Amino acid sequence: MFNKKTALAASMALACAMSGAAASALDLSGETVEFVIPFSETGGSAKWANFYAPLLSEALPGKPTVVVKYMPGAGSTKGANWFQDQSYEDTEGKVIFGSSGSTQFPYLLEDPRVKYEYADWNVVLASGTGGVAFLPPDLAGKMDGLDATGLQGTDFIWGSQGATRLDLVPLLAWQMLGMSVEPVFGIKGRGDGRLMFERGEANIDYQTSAAYLDNVVPLVEAGQAVPMMTWGALDENGNIVRDPTFPDIPSFKEVCEATPACETSGDAWEAWKAFFIAGFPAQKMIFLPKGAPQDAIDTYTKAFNDVIARPDFKELSEATLGDYPQMTGAPAKVMLDLGTKVPASAKAFVKTWLHDAYGVSLN
Amino acid sequence: MDLFATALPALQEAFALILQPQQIMYLMLGVLLGLSVGVFPGLGGIAGLSLVLPFMFGMDPVSGLALMVGLVAVVPTSDTFASVLMGIPGSSASQATVLDGFPMARKGEAARALSAAFASSLFGGLFGAAVLTCFILIARPLVLAFGTPEMLAITLLGLSMVAILAGRLPLKGVAAACLGLLVGTIGEAGAGGSLRMATYDIPYLIDGVKLVVVGLGIFAVPEIISLLRQDQSIARGSKLGAGWTQGVRDWFENIWLSVRCATIGVIVGVIPGLGGSVVDWIAYGHTIQTAKDKSKFGSGDVRGVVGPESSNNAKEGGGLVPTLIFGIPGSGSMAIFIGGLGLLGFNAGPQLIQNDLNVTYTVVWSLALANVFGAGLCIALSNPIARITTIRFTLLAPFLFMMIAFAAFQSRQSLGDLISLFAIGLVGIFLRRFDWSRPAFLIGFVLSNQAENFSNNAHQIASFQFRRGLEQGLNYVASPIVLGILALTVVSVVLGIRQSKMIRSEGEVVHGHKRAPLIFLLAILAYMVTAWVNAALIDLTSDKIFPLTVGTVGIVATLLLLIRMIRAPEDDPVFADREAGGEDAAAPHGLWSTLAWFGALLVLSSLLGFILALLVFLIGFFRIRGQLSWARTLLFTAAGIGGMCFLAGTLNRDFPPGLLQEFVKLPWPLK
């Protein structure tokens, strides 16, 4: 069995070599590509994966059926550990994996459950998103322009999914501004957090971009909420700039600069920035398993490029993905590096902070 | 008036949109899919919707909505088949139907139970659709009125149903519910992420035990084992009964019960976060509380079918309210529904109703029509399906084992699913044998997460509000809704305890010797103490307070039972034991040898992978236990494996892999 396989691989390699550097060596006619996500059918990742699956199906050579396969468990580490065990040789380009900020955070925080290594995988797409924090109108009035000092005396309460999740980015940001925000842990999704805000149980909240556009903008129009800041976006050079989806809302960086208590340098800022990048601009990525040859990576990259280049892509994606860059090739690689390589000092800072402020330890 | 001025034209427009041949066709397709998915135990709306989601993209919105709504709407109708005919909850929404529906089938009244169920489902579904019509326009303040304290109060109301379902000894019911609550806390705590009764070395336990596994283990496994030991058909009489019209009449005689339960269903559905798996229990508890003659519940009272079935279809209409208005799913299937809406180009939320009211109302029409089609189809198809109950059970059981093992595996796709199914099944067998209330255990388990999260959150927010001022704090925790629900809870507990002595939610049980019941009690006590100590070692108060409190209550209840056991004579109800007499004791096959067959399937799966294990298991079972000829053995085995592969193939699911698959790479379905 093994010999047959090696022989096959060898002959395929030979065939590739002979046909030159053609990117079409991978033909998936009649095959089924499994797009595995380490989450259940219900979350944002499922929405994202189901958005891409049919488009990818049309763009890949041979138009294979692309099915989304859910592999939830252990805060997404189960599916990622499974993917770590897959190799390109065995899966022959028919398995791709979609990871999310929830997969990256345990990896960055050295959760004991993590047995996967991002460096082994081959990124073919990186999708970013953003987030917007908002306040009730009476509290928003306490801000002096961009200066958030006026909010320091107020007790804030906030529905949160847990301090080790994506929610650590806003928590840290608010703390850096000198605000005292008490997180109510254990809510099931960001939608529940918004409902708490609408009921008046919570008096601060944030939503990712798509959810903000759908559900918070009507609140803002009705005078029940006022945007406070976005987390920002990254430009080509890795600098934090205003979020292009919300050009009128200041970024956290601007608010931080205008607030005396907050500094855009030092350990806290570096840690915030690292985890912000992992959680938002580099939130969702698609990988081929370890050992994927360059031509397979090229085939998938081209397919995603074709998807993104569709004339109707912008219109289709707006609702699901928001107005954010969908990156392939070298920019996707840069995102992978930014999102999964965090300085040891930033990790140490966050771990100490989580332990001291919330009693959370990951061992 | 304004309301009608906007709603009526939109309703008409929506009716015209849905009444096109293409849309009706998609609706029917959805109904058929929903029926097929619902019939299989353990697979519900989530599995069905995931099946159609890939095809949603680019579909005409009204057709896509018709397809999805048709599918979701009929699952609570068709899941009745499994509950009534086999004693296995067809989905989590019809767990309570088992209690009276299954005994009816065993008495030869399957047809009556089914038609009463379908009539109730139809009514509940239409009621839900009607409520949804108005609620879409006015529900916003209502949903916003339900904050965390209100949710906690509703959760407590749900828990209070334990009182009525506890059986002869309320203490046993309390202990069983505490055990269920404790099993529900296994894994990572919702608030701080501390591990409870779990370790990072066994990743499976970190996510806790899933409802599908517990539902199948607590209800299905004990029933199948018990029936298998008796080696008869499910229905005792040879006739299914000509009870079709009788069933409809039964429903009509209890029309007000049906209205009340449908109302419960809608309300529970509207409140996001409660989940559909409680609704049938609340309705069942309510049914018993308001009935005059309670003596027949648990042994085949048709009202026990009418109540839950009216509520679980109505729940879907209610569940669509927060889904459409807030984009907040009330259940797992609604979450996928939102995903599907997104693929159709709509985003659930306030702007959907403002901008696309007519499209929104096609949902209402789809829901109503799907319920009518679904109930009609179920009645038309039920004769052939109901004939299953007349088959010798030994021929049926292996397929059921196959189905529940597969269904359990779908919850996490890990071998741990099968192990925990077996372990929970064992607990279920003993709970049943010693007459500890299984419904109480399940209610505890279902509500465990919510009870813990809501009480933690409510406590945290309340102390925050009190810090701002006494009045503000009081307004927060003691809102009229909270007080109302709490009053209802007290009434429910008092009535429940007073009446529960007359109710055998699981039939009569004889009592026997002291030893076996005592050992089981000590085992429960040991688990509770372990869980208590384990919780006490956690640092974070938020993560340990709940298991500590529940554990303390459970330990006290168990100790009181222990004292009673020491003092009471052997004929005291505390020593209830089904093995001491009655059907189980008279069964030709022993408990352990029968259970060993199921165990063998699971052990073989862990070695050879599911399909190969199934091959060995089916052949062995039909030949040795079933005493069939080789020809029939092979025929049945082929049918079983073929059906399994077809189902998994369509749903795009894998089978549990075994040790063998670690070393050898095999093609699907063997991989």
Side-chain angles (χ1 to χ4, degrees):
Chain A
M1 185 131 204
F2 181 71
N3 278 334
K4 202 171 152 195
K5 218 179 197 107
T6 355
L8 191 73
S11 65
M12 267 174 64
L14 194 67
C16 290
M18 290 199 314
S19 69
S24 58
L26 190 68
D27 183 16
L28 295 161
S29 314
E31 302 283 2
T32 300
V33 171
E34 291 186 344
F35 185 173
V36 179
I37 57 164
F39 300 95
S40 71
E41 291 92 338
T42 55
S45 282
K47 210 172 159 185
W48 167 76
N50 278 302
F51 169 78
Y52 267 118
L55 299 174
L56 184 61
S57 172
E58 283 178 29
L60 279 171
K63 295 198 181 3
T65 318
V66 179
V67 293
V68 178
K69 195 155 198 174
Y70 309 96
M71 201 178 278
S76 93
T77 57
K78 183 195 159 192
N81 286 338
W82 171 85
F83 186 68
Q84 182 68 26
D85 284 341
Q86 308 302 308
S87 69
Y88 184 83
E89 199 193 357
D90 287 342
T91 55
E92 293 162 348
K94 288 180 283 185
V95 168
I96 53 175
F97 181 75
S99 97
S100 148
S102 313
T103 326
Q104 286 160 41
F105 275 37
Y107 172 83
L108 293 175
L109 293 170
E110 286 151 4
D111 188 305
R113 287 171 288 180
V114 171
K115 309 243 167 10
Y116 49 91
E117 176 51 59
Y118 272 95
D120 291 348
W121 305 345
N122 302 287
V123 66
V124 289
L125 179 88
S127 282
T129 183
V132 188
F134 50 94
L135 295 164
D138 56 324
L139 291 174
K142 293 191 180 179
M143 274 181 79
D144 178 15
L146 291 178
D147 185 351
T149 310
L151 297 172
Q152 283 171 359
T154 311
D155 285 325
F156 286 98
I157 193 151
W158 176 53
S160 164
Q161 288 166 278
T164 57
R165 313 279 158 91
L166 222 50
D167 287 359
L168 85 75
V169 172
L171 263 180
L172 188 53
W174 289 325
Q175 185 186 299
M176 285 163 71
L177 292 174
M179 297 161 60
S180 81
V181 176
E182 189 175 326
V184 175
F185 289 130
I187 61 160
K188 290 275 178 271
R190 286 256 44 90
D192 291 339
R194 170 173 50 84
L195 205 51
M196 282 175 75
F197 178 88
E198 284 192 57
R199 287 186 197 122
E201 288 180 297
N203 54 5
I204 192 164
D205 192 32
Y206 96 95
Q207 296 287 323
T208 51
S209 301
Y212 180 87
L213 289 171
D214 283 345
N215 292 310
V216 185
V217 169
L219 294 181
V220 173
E221 283 164 1
Q224 289 162 341
V226 176
M228 177 190 179
M229 58 191 177
T230 68
W231 308 130
L234 284 188
D235 69 4
E236 294 85 33
N237 307 318
N239 297 314
I240 296 183
V241 293
R242 272 204 184 191
D243 190 327
T245 311
F246 307 100
D248 299 333
I249 307 176
S251 69
F252 167 58
K253 192 179 179 190
E254 295 168 61
V255 175
C256 186
E257 277 163 351
T259 308
C262 190
E263 278 176 14
T264 52
S265 60
D267 281 350
W269 173 257
E270 290 306 323
W272 182 84
K273 192 176 166 189
F275 280 86
F276 155 70
I277 293 171
F280 292 91
Q283 189 183 51
K284 292 193 178 11
M285 289 182 269
I286 298 178
F287 296 95
L288 279 167
K290 63 183 170 210
Q294 192 56 43
D295 65 314
I297 300 173
D298 291 345
T299 306
Y300 270 93
T301 304
K302 182 178 176 306
F304 278 112
N305 281 334
D306 291 349
V307 168
I308 297 164
R310 281 171 70 122
D312 56 348
F313 182 79
K314 194 174 157 62
E315 188 195 335
L316 293 172
S317 68
E318 223 151 46
T320 321
L321 310 174
D323 187 11
Y324 291 96
Q326 308 294 320
M327 286 157 288
T328 56
K333 265 212 162 100
V334 172
M335 272 302 154
L336 174 65
D337 279 355
L338 283 172
T340 56
K341 290 186 184 149
V342 165
S345 57
K347 283 186 195 179
F349 177 88
V350 167
K351 280 189 185 175
T352 315
W353 168 64
L354 283 176
H355 185 264
D356 294 349
Y358 306 107
V360 175
S361 67
L362 281 162
N363 297 303
Chain B
M1 269 295 113
D2 227 22
L3 201 71
F4 287 106
T6 33
L8 281 181
L11 261 180
Q12 268 175 7
E13 212 174 310
F15 193 58
L17 281 175
I18 193 80
L19 224 56
Q20 308 288 335
Q22 192 199 349
Q23 274 71 11
I24 292 287
M25 202 192 74
Y26 273 109
L27 183 68
M28 286 301 287
L29 183 67
V31 168
L32 285 174
L33 279 173
L35 286 183
S36 344
V37 170
V39 167
F40 290 109
L43 296 177
I46 298 191
L49 280 179
S50 320
L51 185 66
V52 299
L53 210 53
F55 307 103
M56 255 331 119
F57 183 76
M59 243 170 115
D60 154 54
V62 179
S63 308
L65 281 175
L67 180 62
M68 287 198 294
V69 174
L71 198 153
V72 174
V74 298
V75 167
T77 309
S78 65
D79 61 4
T80 314
F81 280 118
S83 305
V84 169
L85 298 179
M86 294 173 234
I88 304 169
S91 77
S92 61
S94 60
Q95 285 161 345
T97 313
V98 176
L99 294 187
D100 276 299
F102 187 52
M104 284 182 77
R106 301 205 67 191
K107 285 195 288 186
E109 294 184 326
R112 182 181 168 197
L114 286 175
S115 69
F118 296 145
S120 311
S121 291
L122 174 61
F123 175 77
L126 292 178
F127 186 85
V131 171
L132 178 63
T133 313
C134 320
F135 261 36
I136 280 184
L137 295 174
I138 57 165
R140 209 176 164 81
L142 189 89
V143 176
L144 285 181
F146 274 83
T148 314
E150 286 81 6
M151 308 270 238
L152 180 61
I154 291 258
T155 308
L156 289 177
L157 178 65
L159 274 176
S160 78
M161 294 302 158
V162 166
I164 190 99
L165 296 170
R168 268 185 298 188
L169 295 173
L171 265 183
K172 259 180 157 175
V174 171
C178 286
L179 188 65
L181 284 163
L182 280 178
V183 171
T185 64
I186 292 177
E188 211 176 27
S194 317
L195 295 187
R196 296 179 300 206
M197 296 299 280
T199 113
Y200 282 121
D201 298 329
I202 310 173
Y204 183 83
L205 284 178
I206 296 172
D207 281 344
V209 194
K210 287 283 179 277
L211 176 61
V212 176
V213 173
V214 175
L216 291 173
I218 289 292
F219 277 106
V221 174
E223 293 306 332
I224 298 176
I225 296 283
S226 157
L227 282 170
L228 188 54
R229 289 173 59 191
Q230 292 157 33
D231 197 8
Q232 292 170 341
S233 61
I234 294 174
R236 289 295 153 75
S238 54
K239 289 183 220 111
L240 280 176
W244 292 106
T245 45
Q246 177 62 35
V248 179
R249 229 177 297 140
D250 285 330
W251 165 75
F252 191 72
E253 277 164 19
N254 295 296
I255 177 93
W256 290 112
L257 172 69
S258 192
V259 172
R260 291 195 305 268
C261 288
T263 312
I264 293 175
V266 170
I267 293 174
V268 173
V270 167
I271 302 163
L274 273 183
S277 31
V278 232
V279 63
D280 48 335
W281 290 117
I282 298 187
Y284 188 74
H286 171 80
T287 306
I288 300 182
Q289 278 168 356
T290 53
K292 284 211 184 69
D293 173 19
K294 302 176 206 298
S295 59
K296 296 215 179 59
F297 282 108
S299 50
D301 191 313
V302 74
R303 289 170 297 181
V305 174
V306 171
E309 286 301 314
S310 306
S311 73
N312 64 14
N313 279 60
K315 177 205 77 195
E316 300 299 333
L320 280 166
V321 172
T323 310
L324 292 173
I325 298 183
F326 290 93
I328 289 171
S331 63
S333 49
M334 281 301 134
I336 307 179
F337 185 81
I338 290 185
L341 272 180
L343 294 177
L344 292 172
F346 292 101
N347 282 304
Q351 75 288 2
L352 175 70
I353 290 152
Q354 274 157 21
N355 305 339
D356 301 294
L357 191 63
N358 51 355
V359 175
T360 316
Y361 271 144
T362 60
V363 171
V364 177
W365 284 114
S366 305
L367 189 65
L369 289 176
N371 269 294
V372 175
F373 291 153
L377 272 174
C378 278
I379 289 176
L381 293 176
S382 50
N383 247 323
I385 296 181
R387 226 162 262 143
I388 291 171
T389 52
T390 58
I391 300 172
R392 186 180 152 214
F393 195 73
T394 311
L395 304 185
L396 213 53
F399 296 120
L400 293 180
F401 279 142
M402 173 180 95
M403 281 305 304
I404 59 171
F406 177 69
F409 179 72
Q410 294 317 313
S411 76
R412 297 261 295 281
Q413 294 162 34
S414 148
L415 207 57
D417 290 324
L418 300 187
I419 298 169
S420 52
L421 175 67
F422 191 80
I424 302 271
L426 208 56
V427 174
I429 287 171
F430 286 125
L431 289 176
R432 179 177 178 276
R433 171 173 170 182
F434 299 118
D435 198 29
W436 293 63
S437 168
R438 286 183 290 166
F441 177 89
L442 200 62
I443 292 176
F445 177 81
V446 165
L447 290 176
S448 180
N449 248 316
Q450 297 164 356
E452 174 167 20
N453 267 339
F454 290 148
S455 42
N456 266 340
N457 292 355
H459 171 253
Q460 208 181 342
I461 304 175
S463 34
F464 180 83
Q465 303 273 19
F466 273 113
R467 254 180 279 146
R468 287 171 152 192
L470 184 67
E471 199 186 342
Q472 194 169 1
L474 279 178
N475 277 339
Y476 178 70
V477 293
S479 75
I481 300 181
V482 172
L483 295 177
I485 300 172
L486 285 183
L488 214 62
T489 310
V490 172
V491 172
S492 153
V493 170
V494 171
L495 279 181
I497 288 177
R498 200 186 297 163
Q499 295 166 347
S500 67
K501 292 190 179 63
M502 293 174 295
I503 296 156
R504 310 277 174 272
S505 64
E506 299 183 70
E508 280 297 336
V509 182
V510 294
H511 24 78
H513 296 293
K514 277 189 171 191
R515 203 171 60 137
L518 183 68
I519 293 177
F520 183 60
L521 182 102
L522 289 176
I524 290 183
L525 185 62
Y527 177 80
M528 285 180 171
V529 171
T530 319
W532 193 92
V533 172
N534 178 276
L537 295 175
I538 293 172
D539 294 331
L540 285 176
T541 316
S542 64
D543 290 356
K544 71 180 189 183
I545 187 81
F546 184 77
L548 277 184
T549 315
V550 172
T552 309
V553 175
I555 289 170
V556 169
T558 323
L559 284 176
L560 287 174
L561 282 169
L562 188 64
I563 294 171
R564 177 159 175 172
M565 278 194 169
I566 293 167
R567 294 174 138 193
E570 262 185 10
D571 59 353
D572 191 273
V574 78
F575 293 114
D577 183 352
R578 279 178 203 266
E579 297 294 322
E583 282 177 0
D584 282 20
H589 297 281
L591 167 67
W592 297 108
S593 62
T594 310
L595 190 62
W597 277 104
F598 185 44
L601 173 63
L602 303 185
V603 171
L604 280 173
S605 298
S606 69
L607 295 176
L608 304 175
F610 190 59
I611 288 292
L612 287 176
L614 205 56
L615 187 72
V616 177
F617 168 76
L618 287 179
I619 292 179
F621 192 95
F622 286 128
R623 268 308 281 177
I624 300 168
R625 186 71 180 254
Q627 308 266 328
L628 296 185
S629 67
W630 272 110
R632 293 181 74 190
T633 298
L634 293 178
L635 181 72
F636 287 159
T637 306
I641 292 184
M644 191 80 274
C645 292
F646 174 74
L647 180 71
T650 355
L651 290 171
N652 185 37
R653 302 294 164 113
D654 282 340
F655 296 111
L659 212 56
L660 179 69
Q661 280 74 3
E662 293 267 310
F663 298 106
V664 191
K665 194 174 142 59
L666 295 166
W668 193 90
L670 301 177
K671 76 171 179 186

